[in-house]
Amino acid sequence: TIRLPITHEASLESTGKYPLPMSDQALLKPRDQAALPALESPTDVTQSKKNQPTLLLVEDNQDVMHYLTDCLKATYLLHYARNGREGVDLARQIVPDIIICDVMMPEKDGFELCADLKTDPRTDHIPIVLLTAKADLDSKLEGLEYGADAYLTKPFHRQELHIRLEKLIALRELLQAKYNQPEFSRESNRQREDAFVLKVRQLILDHLDDEDFGVEDVAAAVYLSSTHVYRKLKALTGKSTSHFIRQIRLQEAYKLFETTEMNVSEVAFSVGFKDLSYFSRLFSQYYGKTASETAKELRGGNKSR
């Protein structure tokens, strides 16, 4: 709804101070251009919101920021930055699942934000959607060259925004499924994300029989903090660092049952489990059958062939 506070009561000699009805006085109150949508405190975030994707909005125009908030608040857990510099800092701090960023901003524009985040191993996996009023091909190509994953021209339709974001989230879920497959390491390294997951996977394999090799060791080896490794692996694989390490160990145990005659204890020790009952419990949870049953089925099948 747009209301234009125009009356026909002014005389031709008016000084410009047009009388307005009282109902229209509020329209002339100055807006707080520095205001951002209210952020929720951690205690206000419900369990359902904790399971929502985290989205960082980087936008200096408050009208656009409020409109985007209205479009996205039901689906995403939102964080806000007023310019590219704040956006880069906040992205490195919270490592969101996705970023929507305006192109034309003070201090650091959207292209510079893309360049900074896509060359930082802490954040290079985050999908970035650029918003711009410039619809020409050269501008779009420039954004893609800086690493943007999608380009949205203002004004955009609410449904178009949702579809773009849903496609990027769906692509991330496909990558998660791929990275959780035991045969992933045999595939070619086609994406930036592949290199990181392959490196972490190889680190675990290199220390497979070391029960003490864990989260801090992985973080030190890839020169990131344990928090950033956790957030990046969680985004790429859907699993925490400790769960990813455990998954690789269990997948290798399955391979040993399939390709060797080692007994359950020997396999457990070989993949870094010194507690046999703990190994058996985790194996049953992961594969839906006991380690002994798995070994018998796999080896029986090999002999029958």
Side-chain angles (χ1 to χ4, degrees), residues 30-87:
R31 297 183 59 190
D32 179 8
Q33 291 298 318
L36 285 172
L39 286 172
E40 293 173 297
S41 68
T43 55
D44 295 330
V45 178
T46 63
Q47 186 62 40
S48 62
K49 281 209 167 188
K50 287 181 181 178
N51 296 327
Q52 290 177 336
T54 303
L55 191 151
L56 172 61
L57 290 176
V58 188
E59 173 62 70
D60 64 325
N61 183 293
Q62 296 307 307
D63 290 326
V64 176
M65 180 75 84
H66 282 277
Y67 176 68
L68 287 168
T69 298
D70 185 57
C71 291
L72 302 170
K73 63 184 178 183
T75 311
Y76 299 90
L77 184 58
L78 301 177
H79 295 267
Y80 305 92
R82 295 181 182 87
N83 56 59
R85 180 185 56 77
E86 288 185 10

Side-chain angles (χ1 to χ4, degrees), residues 72-248:
L72 302 170
K73 63 184 178 183
T75 311
Y76 299 90
L77 184 58
L78 301 177
H79 295 267
Y80 305 92
R82 295 181 182 87
N83 56 59
R85 180 185 56 77
E86 288 185 10
V88 169
D89 292 342
L90 192 54
R92 288 170 175 163
Q93 177 186 337
I94 66 173
V95 190
D97 294 302
I98 197 163
I99 295 172
I100 296 178
C101 178
D102 191 20
V103 170
M104 303 301 293
M105 291 183 298
E107 298 193 46
K108 191 183 289 279
D109 65 23
F111 295 146
E112 293 172 303
L113 177 141
C114 273
D116 285 354
L117 297 183
K118 289 297 186 179
T119 55
D120 188 330
R122 295 169 291 182
T123 55
D124 60 4
H125 65 283
I126 304 173
I128 300 176
V129 179
L130 286 181
L131 295 178
T132 181
K134 300 170 69 176
D136 60 283
L137 180 60
D138 289 341
S139 297
K140 291 185 177 182
L141 291 177
E142 184 178 5
L144 295 174
E145 287 175 357
Y146 278 104
D149 296 86
Y151 215 95
L152 208 57
T153 304
K154 300 176 185 176
F156 53 86
H157 193 278
R158 181 187 297 239
Q159 186 177 2
E160 181 186 7
L161 174 65
H162 276 288
I163 290 174
R164 293 282 186 129
L165 296 177
E166 287 168 5
K167 292 296 184 183
L168 290 172
I169 295 293
L171 178 61
R172 184 64 57 197
E173 292 172 351
L174 287 175
L175 285 176
Q176 288 179 0
K178 182 180 80 167
Y179 294 143
N180 286 306
Q181 295 299 316
E183 300 302 316
F184 161 64
S185 60
R186 297 183 183 180
E187 298 179 3
S188 60
N189 180 10
R190 294 188 297 269
Q191 302 185 62
R192 182 191 302 109
E193 294 88 345
D194 291 355
F196 179 79
V197 179
L198 282 171
K199 184 173 184 178
V200 172
R201 188 179 191 281
Q202 190 59 50
L203 283 169
I204 300 166
L205 294 176
D206 290 343
H207 300 83
L208 193 62
D209 60 351
D210 182 359
E211 183 183 30
D212 297 324
F213 185 80
V215 175
E216 296 297 333
D217 300 294
V218 171
V222 297
Y223 305 105
L224 295 175
S225 70
S226 56
T227 299
H228 280 104
V229 173
Y230 168 85
R231 289 173 176 167
K232 185 158 185 169
L233 272 181
K234 189 72 173 178
L236 292 174
T237 69
K239 290 179 169 55
S240 66
T241 313
S242 59
H243 279 84
F244 188 69
I245 294 172
R246 187 185 307 162
Q247 174 179 275
I248 299 301

